[in-house]
Amino acid sequence: MKILVCISNVPDTTTKIAFTSDNKALNTAGVQFVINPYDEYALTRALELKEANAGTLTVLHVGEADAEPTIRKALAIGADDAIRINAKPTDGFFVAQQIAHHAKSADYDLILMGKESVDYNGFQVHGMVAELLGITAITPAIKLEVTGHAANLEREIEGGKEVITAELPLIVSCQQPMCEPRIPNMRGIMTARTKPLQILEPVSADVKTQYESFSLPEKKVGVKMIDAANAEELIRLLRNEAKVI
Amino acid sequence: MSVLVLLEGADGHVKKSSFETAYYGSQVAAQLGTTAIGLVIGEINPADLPVMGRYGLKKVFYNNDSQLKDFVPGAYVSVTAKAAELTGATVIILPNSNTAAAIGSRLAVRLNASLASNVIALPEVTDTTFKVKQTVFSGKAFADVLLTNDRKIIAVKKNAVEVVEQEGAAEVEALMVDLENTDLIGKPKETIKATGKLPVAEADIVVSGGRGLRGPENWHLLENLADALGAATACSKPVADAGWRPHHEHVGQTGITISPNLYIAAGISGAIQHLAGVNSSKVIVVINKDPEAPFFKAADYGIVGDLFDVLPKLTEAAKALSQ
Ligand SMILES: Cc1cc2nc3c(=O)[nH]c(=O)nc-3n(C[C@H](O)[C@H](O)[C@H](O)COP(=O)(O)OP(=O)(O)OC[C@H]3O[C@@H](n4cnc5c(N)ncnc54)[C@H](O)[C@@H]3O)c2cc1C
Ligand SMILES: Nc1ncnc2c1ncn2[C@@H]1O[C@H](COP(=O)(O)O)[C@@H](O)[C@H]1O
């Protein structure tokens, strides 16, 4: 089985988001970048499937050289090799075109991604790649089993799930509780340094969205405290003051 | 030219959340000087459809192909693309759900459209620009984004507009589409839903619990309050990870992000990843025994106290209110 896992490189989830003084970009000073948390589910599930069925596992990132520590981490967790498409990921469609262009000639049985990238939260790239390649995307999946050429999946919907069977090739976007994400061990970290990392140039692609500026939510003005002995008062305030019940 | 609105159904009815999507679409149509037209796929009670006129739709296309009772990714994209073609839609509005998002991304490629997710307000439209505001970094920030293609697809979050109902009935027209076999790949064998429960993402009021509840056996404390308020229940990540609650109730940066009118958090510390998913709620109430819990900084109302005492009191007070 030939598997591709697409990873994005995002601010660690504990990051306090701030922007440059012109509000045109993320202020990356002091920000630690990590593998997108959802992509860790994709990567770990891909490893489990590879171990069970034999095959190869390639990770792909569309981004600039500063993302290499994140790519090496994916190799340390267990991917066989990596590809970086050397371009600034400007929007979901741009990224999707790069991934699709590579995948077109590579015959993957499975392309796994995360449900969404926790930076710009598109929840877009998997569906776009599916359309560009003319194959099906099941998104977001919470379960993925593969036997031969058939996949059994569960897809999360609001308040429940769907049970799906489909033939490979497939694109699947992953989220918890699909598997327990792995962390790299010492041996993994050592071997990651020598695993192949191929750098490809991007294909030209049209950009359809432009981030004009960013802003932060307004701070809450201050919390109104209610004495626990008098908790009923809260319900009255929610009705008469906040008018939300 | 027109604005096309994809309406979602559940249990044979148009979802309440789709009323808001419809109204949003009608407001965009007004901005552009055109009309808003709805599309419903699946088995929906026909009596629901003219009612969409109240939310500003002039017409509703209805596809009740028996193969499309459940969501089938390729087929839903094909039907929506067909409706877009028939109506000459330049803007397509979707709800921000897992299902609609899966349609939107494929549709954007098929129709060569700009796509924006997590949109929280009406667009700013001029003769030459079309700009939307969306949440980014899982609700920690906002972005103003220009959609530069002639065609635009917008996935709208809950509470993006305040709905004002109006008079009028929508015209209803059947729209059947010949599907390719490939359109039917990925059709669910079965759909399993927590029956009679309001999904967290759609609820106006959400009552949520964290590790402070100590175990699933105490969840009735939250559920009783939720019942008294007509609310949905949610939880923090460790609660879902431990299997105390189903995963689809987990809110936060790596769970669902929600924007209800009221979010009540009991026994949740307020970690940055949790806040990211809930901080666009209109009003936040925090109940925690630790006065230093970080969540109080993001709250509108707070109670320092033991949730095992406080929740039953609130439930009684809420019940008294509705009597
Ligand atoms: C990559 C990553 C992603 C994450 N994503 C998410 C996410 O999406 N959503 C999320 O929720 N978390 C997420 N987390 C976890 C997050 O960092 C916190 O660990 C988590 O939110 C804490 O959950 P909690 O508040 O229920 O538990 P705790 O932090 O243990 O807090 C329990 C609270 O209950 C209070 N309490 C205890 N007993 C009582 C009582 N009797 N009465 C009143 N109060 C009481 C305590 O004072 C405490 O404040 C993520 C973490 C990582 C690393
Ligand atoms: N720059 C990127 N390089 C590789 N894969 C990406 C990139 N951005 C997003 N993806 C993949 O697409 C998924 C969905 O991302 P998004 O549509 O941006 O929310 C992510 O979880 C990744 O698997």
Side-chain angles (χ1 to χ4, degrees), chain B residues 173-214:
Chain B
E173 189 177 320
L175 170 68
M176 299 313 279
V177 175
D178 291 327
L179 298 171
E180 313 271 333
N181 279 340
T182 49
D183 278 339
L184 294 170
I185 299 174
K187 181 172 157 55
K189 288 197 298 193
E190 187 187 1
T191 301
I192 302 164
K193 275 195 175 179
T195 46
K197 286 201 88 182
L198 187 62
V200 186
E202 282 175 41
D204 290 327
I205 305 177
V206 175
V207 178
S208 185
R211 265 207 300 237
L213 266 96
R214 289 196 212 128

Coordinates of all heavy atoms in Angstrom, one line a residue, chain B residues 173-214:
Chain B
E173 N -39.5 24.4 -6.7 CA -39.4 23.8 -8.0 C -38.5 22.5 -7.9 O -37.4 22.6 -7.2 CB -38.7 24.7 -9.0 CG -38.7 24.2 -10.4 CD -38.1 25.3 -11.4 OE1 -38.4 26.5 -11.2 OE2 -37.3 24.9 -12.3
A174 N -38.9 21.4 -8.5 CA -38.1 20.2 -8.4 C -36.9 20.3 -9.3 O -36.9 21.0 -10.3 CB -38.9 19.0 -8.9
L175 N -35.8 19.8 -8.8 CA -34.5 19.8 -9.6 C -33.9 18.4 -9.5 O -33.3 18.1 -8.5 CB -33.6 20.9 -9.0 CG -32.1 20.8 -9.5 CD1 -32.1 21.3 -11.0 CD2 -31.2 21.7 -8.7
M176 N -34.1 17.7 -10.6 CA -33.5 16.3 -10.6 C -32.3 16.4 -11.5 O -32.2 17.1 -12.5 CB -34.5 15.3 -11.1 CG -35.8 15.2 -10.2 SD -35.4 15.1 -8.4 CE -35.0 13.3 -8.3
V177 N -31.3 15.6 -11.1 CA -30.0 15.6 -11.8 C -29.6 14.2 -12.1 O -29.7 13.3 -11.3 CB -28.9 16.3 -11.0 CG1 -27.5 16.2 -11.7 CG2 -29.3 17.8 -10.7
D178 N -29.2 13.9 -13.4 CA -28.7 12.6 -13.7 C -27.3 12.4 -13.1 O -26.4 13.2 -13.4 CB -28.6 12.4 -15.2 CG -30.0 12.4 -15.8 OD1 -30.9 11.9 -15.2 OD2 -30.2 12.9 -17.0
L179 N -27.2 11.4 -12.3 CA -25.9 11.2 -11.6 C -25.0 10.2 -12.3 O -25.5 9.2 -12.9 CB -26.2 10.8 -10.1 CG -26.9 11.8 -9.3 CD1 -27.3 11.2 -8.0 CD2 -26.1 13.1 -9.1
E180 N -23.7 10.4 -12.2 CA -22.8 9.4 -12.7 C -22.6 8.4 -11.6 O -22.8 8.7 -10.4 CB -21.4 10.0 -13.0 CG -21.5 11.3 -13.7 CD -21.4 11.1 -15.2 OE1 -20.8 10.0 -15.6 OE2 -21.9 11.9 -16.0
N181 N -22.2 7.1 -12.0 CA -21.9 6.1 -10.9 C -20.8 6.6 -9.9 O -20.9 6.4 -8.7 CB -21.4 4.8 -11.5 CG -22.5 4.0 -12.1 OD1 -23.7 4.2 -11.6 ND2 -22.3 3.1 -13.0
T182 N -19.8 7.4 -10.4 CA -18.8 7.8 -9.6 C -19.3 8.8 -8.5 O -18.7 9.0 -7.5 CB -17.6 8.5 -10.4 OG1 -18.3 9.5 -11.3 CG2 -16.8 7.5 -11.2
D183 N -20.4 9.5 -8.9 CA -21.0 10.4 -7.9 C -21.5 9.7 -6.6 O -21.7 10.4 -5.6 CB -22.2 11.1 -8.5 CG -21.8 12.3 -9.4 OD1 -20.7 12.8 -9.3 OD2 -22.6 12.7 -10.3
L184 N -21.7 8.4 -6.7 CA -22.3 7.8 -5.6 C -21.3 7.1 -4.7 O -21.7 6.4 -3.7 CB -23.3 6.7 -6.1 CG -24.5 7.4 -6.8 CD1 -25.4 6.4 -7.5 CD2 -25.4 8.2 -5.8
I185 N -20.0 7.2 -5.0 CA -19.0 6.6 -4.1 C -19.0 7.4 -2.7 O -19.2 8.6 -2.7 CB -17.6 6.8 -4.7 CG1 -17.5 6.1 -6.0 CG2 -16.5 6.3 -3.8 CD1 -16.2 6.3 -6.8
G186 N -18.9 6.6 -1.7 CA -18.9 7.2 -0.3 C -20.2 7.3 0.3 O -20.4 8.0 1.3
K187 N -21.2 6.8 -0.3 CA -22.6 6.8 0.2 C -22.6 6.0 1.5 O -22.2 4.9 1.5 CB -23.6 6.2 -0.8 CG -25.0 6.2 -0.4 CD -25.8 5.7 -1.7 CE -27.2 5.2 -1.3 NZ -28.1 6.0 -0.5
P188 N -23.1 6.6 2.6 CA -23.1 5.9 3.9 C -24.0 4.7 3.9 O -25.0 4.7 3.3 CB -23.6 6.9 4.9 CG -23.6 8.2 4.2 CD -23.6 8.0 2.7
K189 N -23.5 3.6 4.6 CA -24.4 2.4 4.7 C -25.4 2.7 5.8 O -26.4 2.1 5.8 CB -23.5 1.3 5.2 CG -22.6 0.7 4.1 CD -22.1 -0.7 4.5 CE -21.3 -0.6 5.8 NZ -20.5 -1.8 6.1
E190 N -25.0 3.5 6.7 CA -25.8 3.7 7.9 C -25.4 5.0 8.6 O -24.3 5.5 8.5 CB -25.4 2.6 8.9 CG -26.2 2.4 10.1 CD -25.6 1.3 11.0 OE1 -24.5 0.7 10.7 OE2 -26.1 1.1 12.1
T191 N -26.4 5.7 9.2 CA -26.1 6.9 9.9 C -26.6 6.7 11.3 O -27.7 6.3 11.6 CB -26.9 8.1 9.3 OG1 -26.5 8.2 7.9 CG2 -26.6 9.4 10.0
I192 N -25.6 7.0 12.3 CA -26.0 6.8 13.7 C -26.0 8.1 14.4 O -25.0 8.8 14.4 CB -24.9 5.8 14.3 CG1 -24.8 4.5 13.5 CG2 -25.2 5.6 15.8 CD1 -23.6 3.7 13.8
K193 N -27.1 8.5 14.9 CA -27.2 9.8 15.6 C -27.7 9.6 17.0 O -28.5 8.8 17.3 CB -28.2 10.6 14.8 CG -27.6 11.4 13.6 CD -28.5 12.4 13.2 CE -27.9 13.3 12.1 NZ -28.8 14.3 11.6
A194 N -27.2 10.5 17.8 CA -27.8 10.5 19.2 C -29.2 11.1 19.1 O -29.3 12.3 18.7 CB -26.9 11.4 20.1
T195 N -30.2 10.3 19.2 CA -31.6 10.7 18.9 C -32.1 11.7 20.0 O -31.7 11.7 21.1 CB -32.5 9.6 18.8 OG1 -32.3 8.7 19.9 CG2 -32.4 8.8 17.5
G196 N -32.9 12.6 19.5 CA -33.5 13.6 20.4 C -32.6 14.6 21.0 O -32.9 15.3 21.9
K197 N -31.3 14.6 20.6 CA -30.4 15.5 21.2 C -30.0 16.6 20.2 O -29.8 16.4 19.0 CB -29.1 14.8 21.6 CG -29.3 14.0 22.9 CD -28.0 13.7 23.6 CE -27.6 14.8 24.6 NZ -26.4 14.6 25.2
L198 N -29.9 17.8 20.7 CA -29.5 18.9 19.9 C -28.0 18.9 19.7 O -27.3 18.9 20.6 CB -30.0 20.2 20.6 CG -29.9 21.5 20.0 CD1 -30.8 21.6 18.7 CD2 -30.3 22.6 21.0
P199 N -27.5 18.9 18.4 CA -26.1 19.0 18.2 C -25.5 20.3 18.8 O -26.1 21.3 18.7 CB -25.9 19.0 16.7 CG -27.2 18.5 16.1 CD -28.2 18.9 17.1
V200 N -24.3 20.1 19.4 CA -23.7 21.2 20.1 C -23.5 22.5 19.2 O -23.8 23.6 19.6 CB -22.3 20.8 20.6 CG1 -21.6 21.9 21.4 CG2 -22.3 19.5 21.3
A201 N -23.1 22.2 17.9 CA -22.8 23.3 17.0 C -24.0 24.2 16.7 O -23.9 25.3 16.3 CB -22.2 22.8 15.7
E202 N -25.2 23.6 16.9 CA -26.4 24.3 16.5 C -27.2 24.9 17.6 O -28.1 25.7 17.4 CB -27.4 23.3 15.8 CG -27.0 23.1 14.4 CD -27.8 22.0 13.7 OE1 -29.0 22.1 14.0 OE2 -27.3 21.2 13.1
A203 N -26.7 24.6 18.9 CA -27.5 25.1 20.0 C -27.3 26.6 20.3 O -26.2 27.1 20.2 CB -27.1 24.2 21.2
D204 N -28.4 27.2 20.8 CA -28.3 28.6 21.2 C -27.6 28.7 22.6 O -27.0 29.7 23.0 CB -29.6 29.3 21.3 CG -30.2 29.5 19.9 OD1 -29.4 29.7 19.0 OD2 -31.5 29.4 19.8
I205 N -27.8 27.6 23.4 CA -27.3 27.6 24.8 C -26.5 26.3 24.9 O -27.0 25.2 24.5 CB -28.4 27.6 25.8 CG1 -29.3 28.9 25.6 CG2 -27.8 27.6 27.2 CD1 -30.4 29.0 26.6
V206 N -25.3 26.3 25.4 CA -24.5 25.1 25.6 C -24.0 25.1 27.1 O -23.5 26.0 27.6 CB -23.3 25.1 24.6 CG1 -22.4 23.9 24.9 CG2 -23.7 25.1 23.2
V207 N -24.2 23.9 27.7 CA -23.8 23.7 29.1 C -22.6 22.7 29.0 O -22.8 21.6 28.4 CB -24.9 23.2 29.9 CG1 -24.4 22.9 31.3 CG2 -26.1 24.1 30.0
S208 N -21.5 23.0 29.5 CA -20.3 22.2 29.2 C -19.6 21.8 30.5 O -19.5 22.6 31.5 CB -19.4 23.0 28.3 OG -18.3 22.3 27.9
G209 N -19.0 20.6 30.5 CA -18.3 20.1 31.7 C -16.9 19.7 31.5 O -16.6 19.2 30.4
G210 N -16.1 19.8 32.5 CA -14.7 19.4 32.4 C -14.3 18.4 33.4 O -15.2 17.7 34.0
R211 N -13.0 18.2 33.7 CA -12.6 17.2 34.6 C -13.1 17.4 36.0 O -13.1 16.5 36.8 CB -11.1 17.2 34.6 CG -10.5 16.1 33.7 CD -9.2 15.7 34.1 NE -8.2 16.7 34.1 CZ -7.1 16.7 33.4 NH1 -6.8 15.7 32.6 NH2 -6.2 17.7 33.5
G212 N -13.5 18.7 36.3 CA -14.0 19.0 37.6 C -15.3 18.1 38.0 O -15.7 18.0 39.1
L213 N -15.9 17.5 36.9 CA -17.1 16.7 37.2 C -16.7 15.3 37.8 O -17.6 14.6 38.2 CB -18.0 16.6 36.0 CG -19.1 17.6 36.0 CD1 -18.7 18.8 35.2 CD2 -20.5 17.1 35.6
R214 N -15.5 15.0 37.7 CA -14.9 13.8 38.3 C -15.3 12.5 37.6 O -14.6 11.5 37.9 CB -15.3 13.7 39.8 CG -14.5 14.7 40.6 CD -14.6 14.3 42.1 NE -14.5 15.5 42.8 CZ -15.4 15.8 43.8 NH1 -16.4 15.0 44.1 NH2 -15.3 17.0 44.4

